[in-house]
Amino acid sequence: MNSNQGSNASMTLGWRMSAAPVAVLGASLIAFARLSPTAQGTIWAEDGAVFLQDALARPGILGVFAPYQGYLHVVPRFAAAFVVRLFPVDAYALAISLLSSLIIGLVALMVFHCASAISTRLVPRLAWASITIMVAPAALETQGNFANLHWYLLWLAPWLLIKQARNKPEGILLFAAAALSSLTEILTLMFVPIFLYRFRDQWLWPARAGLLLGIACQVFTTVSYPRSAPFEPANILSVVVGWFLNSSSAVVFGTSNQIALITLNFGAVPIVLAALPFFAAFLFLLFRGTAAHRGVAVVAVVASVGVWAAAVLFNFSREFNYAEFTAAQWHEFLLGRYSVVPSMFLLVLFPLLAVALERTSAKAATSVLTVFALLQCLYFFPSFSFRQDGPVWAVGVADARAACAANQAMVAHVVATAPGNWKVDVPCAILRR
């Protein structure tokens, strides 16, 4: 390498190193902006009653490996420990919303980085990364809390597995990202078949080794501490119908109420029509794309169906029994956490189609990306959020602080979180500081 080449390489590396933090910060703020002020200040579900509560009770680092419902949740637990140790109790909710948005921003950056294995073009890579932040159902429940970070790490897993490490530092990065993903979400094991892709390529194995490490720990945990949630046999037709409702329809129609009303008024026709562009893209990629395009398209669709099926089959309940819904039940239909990753993987097809079309028609590729961008932006601000009614954490903490101050014998005071009866027992010793 001559001096000019070395200088250019250094400049490129320097530009990337400086651009990455700015990109993560921007992506994080965009994710955070999708949450209403009330949602930003409300603690959701396991974030309070499990992760914060355990972080308050277990000061040691080993607490991040504590099982919950049969699984490890390393990233949420570590993030909760970080919040408890570095933020005042009044700011826990806002800190959780900000930190979870930051982690989502990091995931988006990793998707952008790993997508170079599919295309070196900037726009398609940005498009795939944007799915992490802007997919329609995310702001309803999954964004802004630790309890649902595992879905984003599940989305990241296959991207890590197709990226070659160009050097040892990148190999360490891919190993660590894959290990953290699988130590947080057991369903990452569904991507092990991707190992068959270029099996002998040693530079693809850092991420694979990290994934295997986490999966082994998850399997040991679920065998040692079985999940206590009851298993209810699934209605298979409902699982099939549910995938259409919670993937293509979630992206095209955007809201639970819209899907419910369309289904009640017009039956299955709009739901099928919403899926047709995705199936058309998939078929084009299968028959007209390169071998690489076909492989990514198959992984994306199988992942979309597989994540939905696995999540619902192991958590089946009345709310997922779509095939037997009455009119009244359709009015209770909700998009939620199970809708996000199936939608994300289905959206992969549009930028991939644009990449495939670039070889023959730049205008067609631009049109596809334009449609994709419109779908991403159309439901950026949700009309409904599971945390939109509070309770606001800071208000509850103020009441708890007053109660502890009035009664010096009190050891702890309950602070309510969402939803329903979820809560945190906050020690008065913290509140009296």
Side-chain angles (χ1 to χ4, degrees):
M1 180 184 291
N2 59 40
S3 58
N4 287 336
Q5 288 175 321
S7 176
N8 290 338
S10 298
M11 289 177 62
T12 300
L13 179 61
W15 179 85
R16 288 176 178 174
M17 292 295 289
S18 59
V22 175
V24 170
L25 179 60
S28 304
L29 291 175
I30 291 171
F32 184 73
R34 298 189 71 187
L35 307 172
S36 69
T38 300
Q40 292 168 0
T42 299
I43 289 179
W44 179 250
E46 288 90 352
D47 283 8
V50 179
F51 302 141
L52 278 182
Q53 194 75 77
D54 287 354
L56 290 168
R58 298 172 178 166
I61 188 64
L62 293 180
V64 302
F65 296 101
Y68 170 66
Q69 287 294 342
Y71 312 120
L72 295 174
H73 304 263
V74 167
V75 170
R77 286 193 179 278
F78 183 83
F82 181 85
V83 167
V84 165
R85 281 152 185 77
L86 294 183
F87 290 88
V89 63
D90 308 71
Y92 283 179
L94 189 60
I96 288 172
S97 295
L98 283 167
L99 187 54
S100 61
S101 297
L102 178 62
I103 293 170
I104 291 171
L106 287 168
V107 170
L109 178 66
M110 287 301 298
V111 170
F112 174 81
H113 175 69
C114 294
S116 63
I118 305 172
S119 174
T120 57
R121 297 289 297 273
L122 178 65
V123 174
R125 292 169 64 194
L126 285 172
W128 283 312
S130 75
I131 296 172
T132 315
I133 307 297
M134 300 182 68
V135 63
L140 304 175
E141 182 179 8
T142 57
Q143 283 182 327
N145 58 78
F146 297 156
N148 288 295
L149 283 176
H150 62 104
W151 297 114
Y152 292 95
L153 297 172
L154 181 61
W155 151 253
L156 176 61
W159 295 99
L160 298 170
L161 295 176
I162 63 172
K163 179 67 175 72
Q164 275 186 309
R166 293 167 297 183
N167 48 51
K168 288 185 178 180
E170 186 178 10
I172 293 171
L173 174 65
L174 294 172
F175 173 87
L180 288 172
S181 297
S182 53
L183 284 167
T184 302
E185 174 53 76
I186 192 172
L187 284 181
T188 53
L189 64 84
M190 71 184 293
F191 296 115
V192 168
I194 295 177
F195 288 15
L196 295 175
Y197 169 66
R198 292 166 61 177
F199 185 81
R200 296 179 183 275
D201 189 337
Q202 63 175 335
W203 293 109
L204 285 170
W205 274 94
R208 295 172 180 181
L211 195 81
L212 289 175
L213 173 64
I215 289 171
C217 294
Q218 290 281 15
V219 171
F220 174 81
T221 301
T222 199
V223 170
S224 304
Y225 305 92
R227 188 177 180 187
S228 61
F231 177 79
E232 181 177 333
N235 179 329
I236 300 302
L237 179 58
S238 290
V239 176
V240 175
V241 171
W243 179 74
F244 285 90
L245 294 169
N246 288 272
S247 58
S248 50
S249 289
V251 170
V252 173
F253 300 123
T255 68
S256 310
N257 188 54
Q258 182 95 326
I259 293 173
L261 291 177
I262 285 174
T263 305
L264 282 170
N265 291 329
F266 301 102
V269 173
I271 305 304
V272 173
L273 290 176
L276 287 181
F278 298 95
F279 279 101
F282 180 62
L283 291 175
F284 181 92
L285 290 163
L286 282 185
F287 293 105
R288 299 290 298 275
T290 64
H293 298 154
R294 289 194 294 272
V296 174
V298 169
V299 168
V301 173
V302 171
S304 177
V305 174
V307 168
W308 166 257
V312 175
L313 287 171
F314 287 104
N315 298 277
F316 195 78
S317 63
R318 170 185 168 277
E319 64 182 293
F320 300 123
N321 198 11
Y322 305 115
E324 298 182 5
F325 265 20
T326 63
Q329 287 174 304
W330 276 113
H331 285 294
E332 298 174 2
F333 172 79
L334 285 176
L335 298 173
R337 59 191 181 276
Y338 296 159
S339 314
V340 174
V341 179
S343 300
M344 294 168 89
F345 280 118
L346 208 56
L347 277 169
V348 167
L349 296 174
F350 280 174
L352 185 62
L353 177 61
V355 171
L357 287 170
E358 282 176 349
R359 297 178 300 162
T360 55
S361 174
K363 288 184 178 179
T366 301
S367 298
V368 169
L369 287 172
T370 300
V371 172
F372 170 84
L374 288 173
L375 282 175
Q376 289 284 75
C377 296
L378 190 59
Y379 303 109
F380 180 84
F381 293 109
S383 58
F384 166 83
S385 167
F386 286 10
R387 289 184 284 164
Q388 66 186 23
D389 297 322
V392 175
W393 172 260
V395 174
V397 168
D399 293 340
R401 179 176 287 114
C404 288
N407 183 356
Q408 293 299 312
M410 187 178 291
V411 176
H413 195 280
V414 169
V415 179
T417 64
N421 295 320
W422 292 74
K423 58 185 174 59
V424 182
D425 292 317
V426 181
C428 284
I430 295 176
L431 294 167
R432 292 190 184 113
R433 289 175 187 169

